[in-house]
């Protein structure tokens, strides 16, 4: 096949259609309104309970000043208002019509400016949301350059900071890094300063939505000063007499900048790079801390100092978890672990909530630990006995530690509330060994039974074991066989959730393998409904998953977007699932992130390669497809083409199969008719026979690929659309026959049902 016959690739376009994007945006807006109403009700109740009243600024309502000079939140003077430009009604040459024209021009200018600002604000809102999802600074630079309007860049600065205020430290660090990267090169220094000044003026309103706004904005300001993005004189723009929050902000900024080693502390105000912001690095740092402590030093003070240096109080539950697991793996570490946790708890360096979270994570996953260590249950009970003797967990509530941990503590003689007593009572009569009848209870030797409903625990254990083995073997057929052998299709949503959850805490290799596994299992083993139910469970559990994997929201957004691109879930799923999610839960953010990525330019390419190289490069995919079609032209082996396409595992680019196949038909028909053109019958019947004979192998191929589900109807239509768009080039390469070939294939496909009518 000649290279010049290749149809041009389609221009980059969002995966979601305009209608799908509009529906998703409306659903997200409805969810945001629901969240706002819930927050407003909560704030109202809190204010009523505390007797507080909303503060009022002593500076007046912020209305326009005399002469149109403007106050807070007003447009201000848009045209020069100097005396030399004003019309004097006492002037003998005064013309009232000229005065009217002057007013009309001013109004038109004001309306145009308002429209420009509104459009710019909407554009930068999308730009900021996309940046927090993708983390791509070049995309932000490109977007701002396309927008132009450098005089409005302060709106971008304000939107970036206000959006980050209501996010996590990851997004706040990203915002500070972005400002440092854009400063002077893309955004002028005066625009950065103007953006922060507008934030200072809007602080009273920000406090209503983000109560910690003075503290968070202080970190942004001091970080910008340390990064040389703002001059220290910017603090003079904060009016301490405006309101209490402004006074608090200025005092915080001055105190932090005057402190010793302020630069080092401010640079790590969001956790810094590495430990504190990277989940893997933070876990590794905690693991190193424990290894040194348990290995030789046994120096509790040194371990406490290293923990403080990490600066991750929200992640101390990971230390508790790793320490308890170390004691379960090696009973020799029990006393050292109890001593360390006792010291950190008594000094308040590890809070009671973090202690409870760490204990609960270990206890709730004890059923999985028994699969690797059959003595884990007994060792956990012994560890709880040692903790009870040291009064380590005596102050914890049963609701915080969960039923499993409460049962173990109750059996060890620790009173943690009525819920624990009931759990302990049930546990004392429920000691057992793992078997099929009790659903896989974990033995303890001290009356502790950690069990799940019969059948569910066994299925979950088998599913996790299959996924772990798949990570080593990469044999999706073996996973399919094991799932089918379990004969529990109603529990397949649990498998989907378990597979994705297990890969979240691993490398990109395992995440790519899970994405490929879901493609291989759907719908032959796992139905589309079960897959959707599994993702719904994942979104509902996002708040819990983020405790183990702080980056879970971003990763789940990639998994969800990848599933839509792979045509495992319909785009409408993003809209439909929102009704099942808590308005204030992180699952809504996952859906929003996935929608942003699917609606962005090059979104399909990014999601196909979201796990960084797990899939082939697009050029390699395209070449492999064309090689397979070229070989089919000589062998006519449909099964081989289907196998090659499946192995490529690039469902989003299967339209290339259709393009290559149609070009093969054009090539065959052109080759047969070029030499016999002069001998063709006048009535054209002989030409029709030649046409049918030329396209017959391609019809057989496309029909078989469609029937086997290798090429979906969406990809079939996309490929035909590409050919139709390039028909002029095809006519130039193959003569007038190209249009006839395309029409023949479309008519045959619609007649035989392997191509949609639309």
């Amino acid at each position: 096949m000649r290279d010049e016959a290749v149809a041009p690739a389609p221009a980059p376009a969002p995966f979601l259609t305009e209608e799908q994007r509009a529906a998703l945006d409306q659903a997200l807006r409805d969810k945001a309104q629901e969240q706002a109403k819930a927050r407003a009700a909560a704030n109202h109740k809190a204010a009523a309970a505390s007797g507080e009243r909303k503060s009022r600024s002593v500076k007046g309502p912020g209305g326009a000043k005399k002469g149109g000079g403007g106050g807070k939140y007003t447009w201000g003077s848009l045209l020069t208002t100097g005396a030399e430009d004003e019309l004097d009604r006492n002037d003998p040459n005064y013309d009232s019509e000229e005065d009217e024209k002057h007013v009309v021009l001013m109004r038109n200018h004001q309306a145009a400016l308002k429209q420009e600002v509104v459009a710019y604000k909407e554009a930068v809102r999308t730009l900021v949301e996309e940046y927090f999802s993708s983390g791509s600074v070049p995309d932000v630079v490109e977007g701002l350059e396309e927008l132009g309007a450098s005089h409005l860049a302060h709106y971008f600065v304000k939107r970036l900071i206000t959006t980050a205020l209501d996010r996590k430290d990851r997004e706040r660090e990203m915002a500070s890094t972005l400002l440092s990267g854009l400063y002077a090169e893309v955004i002028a220094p005066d625009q950065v300063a103007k953006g922060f000044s507008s934030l200072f003026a809007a602080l009273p309103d920000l406090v209503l939505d983000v109560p910690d706004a003075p503290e968070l904005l202080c970190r942004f300001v001091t970080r910008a000063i340390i990064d040389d993005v703002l001059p220290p004189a910017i603090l003079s723009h904060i009016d301490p007499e405006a309101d209490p929050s402004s006074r608090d902000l200025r005092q915080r900024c001055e105190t932090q900048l005057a402190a010793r080693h302020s630069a080092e502390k401010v640079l790590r105000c969001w956790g810094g790079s590495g430990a504190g912001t990277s989940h893997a690095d933070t876990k590794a740092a905690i693991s190193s801390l424990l290894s040194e402590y348990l290995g030789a030093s046994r120096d509790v003070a040194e371990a406490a100092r290293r923990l403080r240096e990490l600066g991750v109080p929200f992640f101390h539950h990971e230390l508790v978890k790793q320490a308890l697991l170390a004691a379960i793996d090696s009973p020799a570490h029990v006393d050292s672990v109890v001593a360390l946790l006792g010291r950190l708890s008594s000094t308040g360096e590890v809070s009671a909530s973090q202690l409870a979270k760490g204990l609960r994570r270990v206890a709730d996953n004890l059923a999985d630990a028994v699969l690797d260590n059959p003595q884990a249950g007994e060792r956990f009970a012994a560890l709880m006995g040692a903790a009870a003797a040291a009064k380590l967990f005596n102050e914890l509530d049963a609701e915080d530690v969960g039923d499993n941990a409460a049962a173990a503590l109750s059996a060890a003689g620790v009173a943690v509330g009525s819920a624990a007593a009931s759990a302990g009572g049930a546990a004392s009569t429920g000691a057992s060994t793992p078997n099929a009848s009790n659903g896989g209870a974990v033995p303890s030797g001290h009356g502790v039974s950690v069990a799940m409903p019969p059948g569910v625990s066994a299925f979950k254990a088998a599913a996790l074991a299959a996924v772990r083995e798949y990570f080593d073997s990469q044999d999706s057929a073996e996973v399919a066989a094991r799932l089918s052998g379990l004969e529990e299709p109603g529990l397949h949503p649990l498998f989907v959730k378990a597979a994705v959850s297990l890969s979240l805490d691993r490398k990109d290799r395992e995440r790519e393998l899970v994405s490929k596994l879901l493609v291989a299992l759907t719908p032959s083993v796992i139905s589309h409904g079960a897959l959707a139910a599994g993702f719904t469970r994942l979104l509902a559990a996002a708040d819990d998953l983020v405790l183990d994997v702080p980056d879970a929201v971003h990763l789940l957004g990639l998994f969800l977007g990848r599933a839509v691109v792979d045509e495992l879930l319909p785009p409408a799923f993003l809209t439909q699932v929102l009704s099942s999610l808590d308005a204030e839960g992180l699952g809504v953010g996952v859906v929003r992130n996935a929608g942003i990525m699917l609606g962005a330019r090059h979104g399909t390419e990014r999601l196909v390669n979201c796990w960084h190289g797990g899939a082939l490069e697009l050029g390699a995919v395209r070449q492999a497809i064309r090689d397979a079609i070229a070989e089919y032209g000589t062998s006519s082996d449909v099964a081989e083409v289907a196998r090659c396409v499946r192995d490529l595992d690039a469902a989003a680019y299967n339209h290339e199969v259709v393009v290559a196949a149609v070009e093969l038909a054009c090539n065959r028909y052109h080759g047969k008719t070029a030499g016999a053109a002069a001998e063709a019958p006048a009535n054209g019947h002989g030409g029709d026979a030649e046409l049918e004979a030329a396209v017959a192998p391609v019809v057989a191929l496309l029909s078989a690929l469609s029937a086997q589900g290798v090429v979906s109807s969406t990809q079939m239509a996309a490929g035909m659309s590409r050919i139709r768009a390039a028909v002029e080039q095809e006519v130039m390469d193959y003569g007038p026959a190209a249009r006839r070939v395309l029409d023949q294939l479309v008519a045959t496909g619609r007649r035989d049902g392997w191509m949609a009518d639309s």
Side-chain angles (χ1 to χ4, degrees):
M1 185 179 299
R2 294 173 297 179
D3 293 338
E4 60 270 22
V6 176
F15 187 89
L16 297 180
T17 64
E18 292 294 336
E19 293 78 6
Q20 292 167 345
R21 182 68 199 182
L24 177 59
D25 288 343
Q26 182 59 46
L28 288 171
R29 282 194 292 269
D30 294 342
K31 210 68 178 178
Q33 291 178 358
E34 179 182 342
Q35 181 182 12
K37 291 179 180 178
R39 287 184 176 180
N43 291 338
H44 179 72
K45 291 180 180 179
S50 61
E52 294 180 354
R53 297 179 61 189
K54 182 178 178 181
S55 62
R56 300 289 183 182
S57 173
V58 298
K59 293 295 184 179
K65 298 178 182 178
K66 183 178 181 180
K72 284 185 179 180
Y73 321 117
T74 64
W75 290 100
S77 178
L78 298 177
L79 299 176
T80 57
T81 58
E84 68 278 6
D85 295 324
E86 295 181 0
L87 297 176
D88 186 0
R89 295 177 179 271
N90 297 321
D91 191 332
N93 296 322
Y94 170 73
D95 186 356
S96 61
E97 292 184 0
E98 184 178 353
D99 197 2
E100 293 176 359
K101 291 179 180 179
H102 183 79
V103 173
V104 171
L105 287 175
M106 184 176 64
R107 290 177 177 174
N108 291 341
H109 182 78
Q110 185 177 8
L113 181 58
K114 286 184 178 180
Q115 292 177 358
E116 181 184 13
V117 171
V118 169
Y120 187 87
K121 285 183 175 181
E122 181 63 24
V124 297
R125 182 188 66 80
T126 303
L127 202 60
V128 169
E129 293 287 351
E130 185 172 346
Y131 169 67
F132 285 148
S133 298
S134 66
S136 176
V137 176
D139 284 353
V140 178
V141 174
E142 181 182 354
L144 288 176
E145 289 177 347
E146 289 180 355
L147 286 175
S150 58
H151 62 289
L152 298 178
H154 60 278
Y155 288 114
F156 171 80
V157 176
K158 182 178 180 181
R159 169 59 66 177
L160 178 67
I161 302 300
T162 53
T163 303
L165 289 178
D166 204 21
R167 300 292 185 94
K168 302 296 183 181
D169 281 349
R170 170 183 175 272
E171 287 80 5
R172 295 164 188 158
E173 175 66 27
M174 291 173 65
S176 294
T177 303
L178 180 63
L179 282 179
S180 180
L182 299 181
Y183 177 75
E185 298 293 333
V186 180
I187 301 178
D190 64 313
Q191 290 295 312
V192 176
K194 189 174 181 180
F196 273 91
S197 297
S198 63
L199 285 167
F200 301 155
L203 185 58
D205 293 331
L206 290 175
V207 171
L208 299 178
D209 296 327
V210 185
D212 295 335
E215 168 63 21
L216 299 176
L217 187 55
C218 168
R219 296 184 189 180
F220 274 114
V221 173
T222 54
R223 173 68 177 270
I225 292 174
I226 295 299
D227 288 341
D228 290 329
V229 173
L230 289 175
I234 192 69
L235 298 183
S236 63
H237 293 198
I238 307 175
D239 184 3
E241 303 300 327
D243 59 89
S245 59
S246 298
R247 182 166 54 253
D248 183 23
L249 172 62
R250 182 158 178 172
Q251 290 175 351
R252 288 176 182 272
C253 291
E254 292 174 346
T255 301
Q256 287 197 15
L257 290 174
R260 294 182 58 191
H261 308 293
S262 61
E264 293 81 357
K265 295 178 181 178
V266 169
L267 287 175
R268 291 181 56 85
C269 64
W270 308 126
S273 59
T277 56
S278 168
H279 175 247
D281 289 343
T282 304
K283 289 185 67 174
I286 291 176
S287 178
S288 173
L289 181 160
L290 282 174
S291 297
E292 180 179 337
Y293 169 73
L294 297 175
S297 71
R298 305 296 170 107
D299 187 345
V300 177
E302 175 63 15
R305 183 192 66 79
R306 291 186 60 183
L307 182 64
R308 286 194 300 272
E309 286 184 351
L310 284 178
V312 286
F314 58 89
F315 203 56
H316 284 171
H317 58 83
E318 179 66 25
L319 171 72
V320 178
K321 174 193 172 185
Q322 290 194 25
L324 294 178
L325 290 178
I328 292 174
D329 291 338
S330 176
H333 294 327
V334 169
D335 292 339
S336 299
V337 167
V338 171
L340 174 63
L341 295 181
R343 159 68 184 276
L344 296 176
S345 176
S346 62
T347 59
E349 292 175 277
V350 174
S351 65
S353 63
Q354 294 293 309
L355 198 66
K357 286 180 182 177
L359 175 60
R360 183 168 189 163
R361 289 177 63 191
V362 174
D364 288 352
N365 290 287
L366 201 57
D368 295 334
V370 170
L371 298 175
D372 299 325
N373 183 0
Q375 296 181 328
E378 296 178 358
R379 292 180 178 179
F380 179 72
L383 176 60
M384 292 299 100
K391 300 181 179 180
L392 177 58
F393 300 125
N394 287 23
E395 302 299 324
L396 303 184
D397 294 332
E399 293 182 358
D400 294 334
V401 300
D403 292 343
N404 288 343
L409 291 173
S410 179
V414 179
V416 288
S418 59
S422 61
S428 63
T429 61
S432 57
T433 57
N435 55 57
S437 61
N438 65 12
V442 178
S444 69
H446 292 75
V448 180
S449 175
V450 182
M452 287 181 283
V456 175
S457 60
F459 179 87
K460 183 178 179 181
L464 290 174
V467 174
R468 291 192 180 101
E469 183 176 336
Y470 168 69
F471 286 159
D472 295 327
S473 67
Q474 301 186 29
D475 187 356
S476 58
E478 175 64 20
V479 179
R482 294 178 68 171
L483 274 181
S484 300
L486 291 175
E487 297 182 349
E488 291 283 2
L491 298 180
H492 284 174
L494 295 180
F495 172 82
V496 175
K497 179 184 176 183
V500 175
S501 300
L502 189 62
S503 69
L504 291 179
D505 200 19
R506 304 231 177 177
K507 303 295 184 182
D508 282 344
R509 171 185 174 274
E510 285 78 10
R511 296 167 191 150
E512 176 65 23
L513 287 175
V514 168
S515 292
K516 290 185 175 182
L517 179 63
L518 295 180
V519 173
L521 298 180
T522 309
S524 57
V525 178
I526 299 177
S527 66
H528 288 289
L531 184 74
F535 271 93
T536 302
R537 287 172 175 265
L538 281 167
L539 296 175
D543 296 87
D544 296 329
L545 292 173
V546 80
L547 296 176
D548 296 331
V549 185
D551 205 24
V553 173
H554 175 63
L555 296 177
L556 287 175
L558 293 176
F559 267 113
L560 180 57
R562 175 69 177 270
V564 174
V565 168
D566 287 341
E567 299 185 356
L568 303 180
L569 294 172
F573 174 79
L574 302 179
T575 304
Q576 297 166 355
V577 75
L578 287 173
S579 60
S580 305
L581 304 178
D582 182 7
E584 297 187 358
L586 295 178
V588 177
V590 174
V591 176
R592 182 184 294 107
N593 291 349
I596 290 173
M597 288 183 283
L598 289 168
R601 292 184 304 168
H602 306 288
T604 301
E605 293 88 339
R606 292 174 183 170
L607 287 169
V608 167
N609 294 293
C610 63
W611 308 126
H612 308 296
L616 288 175
E617 294 295 329
L618 300 185
V621 171
R622 182 173 177 274
Q623 187 58 46
I625 288 174
R626 292 190 169 274
D627 290 344
I629 298 299
E631 183 178 347
Y632 171 79
T634 57
S635 67
S636 300
D637 189 350
V638 176
E640 179 63 15
V641 176
R643 184 194 65 79
C644 291
V645 175
R646 287 195 184 98
D647 289 346
L648 288 174
D649 195 23
Y653 289 92
N654 283 351
H655 52 78
E656 191 69 34
V657 177
V658 182
V659 172
V662 175
E663 290 175 353
L664 174 63
C666 290
N667 196 24
R668 286 171 54 86
Y669 184 54
H670 182 265
K672 288 185 176 183
T673 59
E679 302 176 6
N683 57 15
H685 293 300
D688 291 339
E690 292 285 353
L691 176 61
E692 292 179 0
V695 303
V698 175
V699 169
L701 173 64
L702 295 179
S703 176
L705 294 179
S706 176
Q708 296 175 25
V710 177
V711 178
S712 67
S713 59
T714 303
Q715 296 297 316
M716 191 75 70
M720 291 296 183
S721 297
R722 286 181 58 190
I723 289 292
R724 192 170 295 281
V727 71
E728 296 302 327
Q729 178 181 342
E730 301 293 358
V731 169
M732 186 167 50
D733 288 340
Y734 297 112
R739 194 181 301 275
R740 298 186 63 196
V741 169
L742 179 60
D743 293 341
Q744 178 72 16
L745 285 172
V746 171
T748 305
R750 291 175 178 173
R751 183 193 65 201
D752 296 342
W754 50 266
M755 185 173 176
D757 292 335
S758 57

